[in-house]
Amino acid sequence: MGVYEELTARGLIAQVTNEDEIRKMLNEGKARFYIGFDCTADSLTAGHFMALCLMKRLQAAGNTPIALIGGGTTMIGDPSGRTDMRKMLTREDINHNAECFKRQMEKFIDFSDGKALMVNNADWLLDLNYVDLLREVGPHFSVNNMLRAECYKNRMERGLSFLEFNYMIMQSYDFYYLFQRYGCNMQFGGDDQWSNMLGGTELIRRKLGKDAHAMTITLLTDSQGNKMGKTAGNAVWLDPNKTSPYDFYQYWRNVGDADVMKCIRMLTFLPLEQIDEMASWEGADLNRAKEILAWELTAMVHGKEEADKAQTAARSLFSGASSDGSAPVVELTEEDLTDGAAELPALLVLAELCPSRGDARRNIQQGGVSVDGEKVTDIGRKFTADELKKGILLRRGKKNYKQIILK
């Protein structure tokens, strides 16, 4: 099975142009492909995970990834999948975010000896002369066609700024520039990017002739991919300082029953034969599949040691046992205490397990709170400084845990 057939078998391919050429180039390791990452935050997210895994998979098959950091396009903002305009960032913020992205990508992609490239579109977009760009690129874009694109059509009722309207042109120019400068012959992206990406393929064809072989593939074929890219990705970060390895593990451990095998197939590097055998698992075996998914992805992002610690902690927490210290830790100071102690509702708020003391009291009274595996229903329960220095394991509901320690 070639790598293209593997991508198809894993449910990763949504739409393609030039399918026969794409299959041949990928399977022969001759593709120089790019994926773009706009740096709207200082960490990559779970929503970027599928793209990073794809780059790793294709590089292993001999193809050359080009990681495009969107230092220029981030200044415009992609309207795809948005109901309002993105927050405009300063150039300093964008540069900082780009550096953070680079450090994280190096965990997935081998950039040594020309095996992959990392480029920043600020290097060419920010120096473009606006009138020159209009003359060079403008004639090749139909406004009527642009307005029919999903990325714009969904925004027309609420208002689409002229700033965002330019995003498709900027993204298309990226592919055109990479094609000429680096021999990039293929682009990958999410299925919601299809219109933007076709703009680049068409621009190359119109500017350089029909023999210019530029190809497009989109990924994220179903709602699970879109959920990872838009919902989970907004909350689950690859930076351990923003999402701890334990919380990262727990996110994947808690994936819905209907989605666990899709995620294993799309995101892990387990052999397809093994995954096919797991496809019939139910009940307790399905929970085992979730553990496999969570461990594999946590090990890929944070290393095997952290994945082992997260799994051990999750198992002990689920069984009601004390934590081994791998659960998320909340450190208190003496200033958090009142007369040398802290009430349980206050601890739930300090640990961000409840949004308010009122909500904390309701959870306690309804039996949804436990300490060190024992249910507590007394809203007046207090913990002394000595108890807190030893540490307590605070739990709300089935899936929310924090270890509380007084320093």
Side-chain angles (χ1 to χ4, degrees), residues 209-403:
K210 63 180 181 180
D211 294 329
H213 294 276
M215 288 151 275
T216 297
I217 300 182
T218 63
L219 307 172
L220 314 188
T221 59
D222 59 17
S223 60
Q224 176 60 31
N226 289 329
K227 182 175 74 173
M228 285 189 291
K230 295 172 184 175
T231 304
N234 290 335
V236 182
W237 306 91
L238 304 193
D239 183 344
N241 295 315
K242 295 172 76 70
T243 297
S244 71
Y246 172 83
D247 285 335
F248 187 83
Y249 177 95
Q250 281 293 82
Y251 170 74
W252 297 108
R253 173 62 180 81
N254 294 327
V255 161
D257 290 355
D259 295 325
V260 59
M261 293 311 304
K262 294 177 185 178
C263 290
I264 288 177
R265 196 174 294 275
M266 287 179 169
L267 298 175
T268 75
F269 285 76
L270 296 175
L272 285 168
E273 294 81 3
Q274 180 182 347
I275 297 173
D276 289 339
E277 292 176 2
M278 297 166 62
S280 61
W281 287 6
E282 297 179 352
D285 284 337
L286 198 57
N287 285 328
R288 184 154 61 94
K290 294 180 183 182
E291 284 196 334
I292 291 171
L293 169 68
W295 189 92
E296 290 288 335
L297 301 191
T298 305
M300 200 184 309
V301 175
H302 300 295
K304 294 181 179 179
E305 182 179 350
E306 290 293 340
D308 286 339
K309 288 170 61 178
Q311 187 171 76
T312 300
R315 286 174 174 174
S316 65
L317 289 167
F318 185 76
S319 65
S322 296
S323 170
D324 67 347
S326 300
V329 175
V330 176
E331 294 184 352
L332 303 183
T333 67
E334 295 288 346
E335 294 178 355
D336 295 312
L337 307 184
T338 301
D339 296 328
E343 293 184 344
L344 182 55
L347 290 177
L348 287 164
V349 174
L350 288 169
E352 296 183 349
L353 292 172
C354 291
S356 67
R357 293 198 182 198
D359 182 74
R361 286 191 288 268
R362 282 191 295 274
N363 274 273
I364 296 168
Q365 292 171 331
Q366 292 168 5
V369 175
S370 66
V371 177
D372 292 335
E374 297 292 331
K375 185 181 295 185
V376 180
T377 57
D378 179 8
I379 62 173
R381 174 73 162 90
K382 293 183 179 181
F383 295 87
T384 66
D386 288 339
E387 288 177 298
L388 294 172
K389 285 178 180 178
K390 293 177 182 178
I392 63 171
L393 183 64
L394 189 57
R395 167 180 167 177
R396 181 188 64 79
K398 295 182 178 180
K399 302 176 181 179
N400 302 293
Y401 308 90
K402 292 289 176 69
Q403 188 174 12

Side-chain angles (χ1 to χ4, degrees), residues 9-28:
R10 289 183 179 274
L12 288 167
I13 304 295
Q15 303 182 74
V16 302
T17 63
N18 317 73
E19 183 173 21
D20 291 339
E21 288 184 78
I22 287 172
R23 178 187 292 108
K24 186 174 187 296
M25 293 183 70
L26 289 176
N27 287 345
E28 294 179 358

Side-chain angles (χ1 to χ4, degrees), residues 32 34 43 103-104 130 150 174 314 387:
R32 292 176 69 85
Y34 97 89
S43 172
R103 290 193 295 271
Q104 292 178 336
Y130 187 61
E150 288 297 323
D174 280 343
E387 288 177 298

